[in-house]
């Protein structure tokens, strides 16, 4: 391959990656606004200022593009490498959980991009991609968290009460995430800043953790 040909090839690859990134970003915004069923490949290409066949060319179709978008969402919410890194640190299980919660709250509540809205929409109205996302993106994170929580609680992970504890501890964060942009909040008579609310939810997590840890499992 000549030097000029190599330069052109490298340039084409960079252009192709830039186009893919632009398509994912535009697709994410449209999917978050209109849902999976309400967004067409034509809509995405138009928004991304890309060729009408770009979705098929770069991703193999709308479903594969949506899968790529959801994978980006999961990296955005809480990258698995962050959880792995924290899990390997030489600190207590409670300290690991504190760090993970801090990261989750930072990425899940502080930012206002389309990623959160799309994930909530996906949870409430699952697409054909949900099974693959749970298998490849959710479960690996859940397994790492389970190991840390098992250490913190002293429960056997096979015991049904361990899973009850898991949901009891993390459910408030899920509910807070679901409700954070709800118009119903404006009608609630008592209002707190997001920072205060997050602090309270996090404090409740460790209070509940301590109470569950004292529960003897027979």
């Amino acid at each position: 391959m000549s030097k000029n040909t190599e330069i052109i090839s490298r340039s084409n690859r960079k252009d192709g990656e830039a186009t893919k990134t632009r398509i994912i970003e535009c697709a994410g915004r449209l999917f978050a606004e209109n849902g999976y069923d309400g967004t067409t490949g034509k809509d995405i290409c138009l928004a991304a200022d890309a060729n009408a066949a770009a979705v098929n060319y770069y991703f193999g179709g709308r479903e594969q593009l949506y899968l790529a978008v959801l994978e980006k969402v999961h990296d955005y919410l809480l990258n698995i490498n962050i959880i792995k890194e924290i899990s390997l640190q030489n600190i207590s299980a409670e300290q690991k959980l504190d760090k993970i919660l801090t990261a989750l709250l930072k990425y899940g509540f502080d930012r206002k991009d389309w990623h959160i809205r799309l994930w909530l929409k996906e949870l409430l109205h699952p697409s054909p991609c949900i099974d693959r996302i749970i298998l490849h993106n959710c479960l690996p994170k859940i397994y790492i968290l389970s190991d840390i929580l098992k250490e913190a609680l002293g429960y056997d992970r096979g015991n049904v009460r361990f899973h009850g504890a898991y949901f009891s501890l993390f459910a408030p964060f899920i509910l807070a995430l679901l409700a954070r942009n709800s118009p119903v909040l404006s009608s609630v008579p008592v209002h707190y800043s997001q920072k205060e609310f997050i602090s309270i939810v996090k404090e409740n997590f460790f209070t509940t953790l301590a109470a569950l840890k004292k529960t003897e499992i027979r």
Side-chain angles (χ1 to χ4, degrees):
M1 182 185 292
S2 70
K3 188 173 182 180
N4 286 341
T5 303
E6 186 178 348
I7 291 171
I8 291 171
S9 177
R10 222 170 25 236
S11 175
N12 287 339
R13 283 199 299 272
K14 284 180 71 175
D15 289 344
E17 287 304 313
T19 300
K20 285 179 69 174
T21 299
R22 192 169 70 251
I23 289 172
I24 287 175
E25 184 68 23
C26 291
R29 295 183 186 280
L30 288 173
F31 284 134
E33 184 68 29
N34 305 315
Y36 177 75
D37 291 331
T39 304
T40 66
K42 183 179 179 181
D43 295 333
I44 295 165
C45 291
L46 189 62
D49 192 24
N51 184 284
V55 168
N56 286 330
Y57 178 78
Y58 287 107
F59 299 95
R62 186 175 64 110
E63 184 172 315
Q64 291 303 315
L65 168 59
Y66 189 66
L67 195 59
V69 170
L70 289 181
E71 287 172 348
K72 183 176 178 65
V73 166
H74 263 268
D75 276 345
Y76 177 94
L77 289 175
L78 187 57
N79 189 287
I80 191 169
N81 292 323
I82 293 174
I83 303 178
K84 285 180 178 178
E85 182 182 329
I86 293 172
S87 73
L88 295 173
Q89 292 179 7
N90 188 26
I91 55 178
S92 70
E94 287 80 5
Q95 288 173 311
K96 291 176 184 179
L97 288 169
D98 186 83
K99 287 193 171 192
I100 289 171
L101 288 177
T102 298
L104 177 63
L105 292 168
K106 176 184 177 182
Y107 295 118
F109 288 86
D110 285 358
R111 300 190 288 186
K112 304 293 183 183
D113 295 337
W114 54 264
H115 307 72
I116 304 289
R117 288 185 288 116
L118 176 54
W119 183 236
L120 294 180
K121 193 180 288 288
E122 177 65 19
L123 290 176
L124 294 172
H125 305 285
S127 72
C129 298
I130 190 66
D131 289 342
R132 279 175 288 178
I133 287 296
I134 289 174
L135 181 63
H136 296 292
N137 298 86
C138 295
L139 288 183
K141 296 178 187 178
I142 289 172
Y143 290 145
I144 298 172
L145 282 172
S146 293
D147 286 338
I148 298 172
L149 200 57
K150 175 188 173 185
E151 182 185 346
L153 290 168
Y155 288 12
D156 184 288
R157 196 164 64 180
N159 192 306
V160 68
R161 292 186 68 178
F162 169 81
H163 300 283
Y166 196 111
F167 285 114
S168 294
L169 288 163
F170 287 102
F173 295 96
I174 297 169
L175 289 173
L177 194 61
L178 286 168
R180 72 179 193 137
N181 293 321
S182 172
V184 174
L185 292 179
S186 60
S187 302
V188 175
V190 180
H191 296 276
Y192 298 96
S193 70
Q194 180 173 290
K195 186 176 180 180
E196 286 178 299
F197 180 73
I198 286 173
S199 176
I200 291 168
V201 173
K202 192 173 176 181
E203 182 182 327
N204 288 345
F205 175 93
F206 286 103
T207 300
T208 305
L209 179 69
L212 290 169
K213 190 174 181 178
K214 292 177 183 177
T215 304
E216 186 178 354
I217 304 300
R218 297 186 184 278

